[in-house]
């Protein structure tokens, strides 16, 4: 599912705000013997905002109508924006 969203505009939503992001990459992680689905890590980029959201649970909304709650961690920031990581273990 996530690979198909690479490069697409997505939204992170909090109770008070919406952050426009795009999916930069999806990286597969080593398989886990107790999980049927392979774990992976998704990297999101928010451009055009100087404010970095703190780590926490946000709603991720895709243009396909899919909405899921995810735990997001900021991993990088510069003058143009911030990058966030979501790990699905």
């Amino acid at each position: 599912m996530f690979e198909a969203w690479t490069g697409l505009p997505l939204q992170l939503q909090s109770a008070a705000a919406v952050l426009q992001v795009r999916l930069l990459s999806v990286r597969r992680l080593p398989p886990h013997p107790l999980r049927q689905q392979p774990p992976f890590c998704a990297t999101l980029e928010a451009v055009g905002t100087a404010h970095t959201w703190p780590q926490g649970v946000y709603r991720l909304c895709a243009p396909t109508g899919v909405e899921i709650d995810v735990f997001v961690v900021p991993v990088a920031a510069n003058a143009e924006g911030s990058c966030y990581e979501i790990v699905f273990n």
Side-chain angles (χ1 to χ4, degrees):
M1 167 171 68
F2 268 77
E3 285 90 353
W5 295 348
T6 302
L8 292 179
L10 306 170
Q11 290 183 341
L12 285 178
Q13 296 178 348
S14 72
V18 173
L19 181 64
Q20 302 297 323
V21 298
R22 71 181 178 99
L23 180 61
L24 284 181
S25 66
V26 175
R27 182 173 43 95
R28 295 282 174 194
L29 300 173
H32 190 286
L34 300 177
R35 302 278 309 207
Q36 287 186 324
Q37 297 294 330
F40 65 94
C41 173
T43 303
L44 306 173
E45 178 185 46
V47 177
T49 179
H51 175 70
T52 300
W53 284 18
Q55 76 178 23
V57 177
Y58 300 102
R59 175 146 301 171
L60 179 66
C61 302
T64 59
V66 173
E67 295 184 2
I68 56 173
D69 292 334
V70 293
F71 185 76
V72 177
V73 177
V75 293
N78 60 31
E80 282 102 40
S82 301
C83 287
Y84 301 88
E85 186 173 80
I86 306 168
V87 177
F88 292 86
N89 238 341

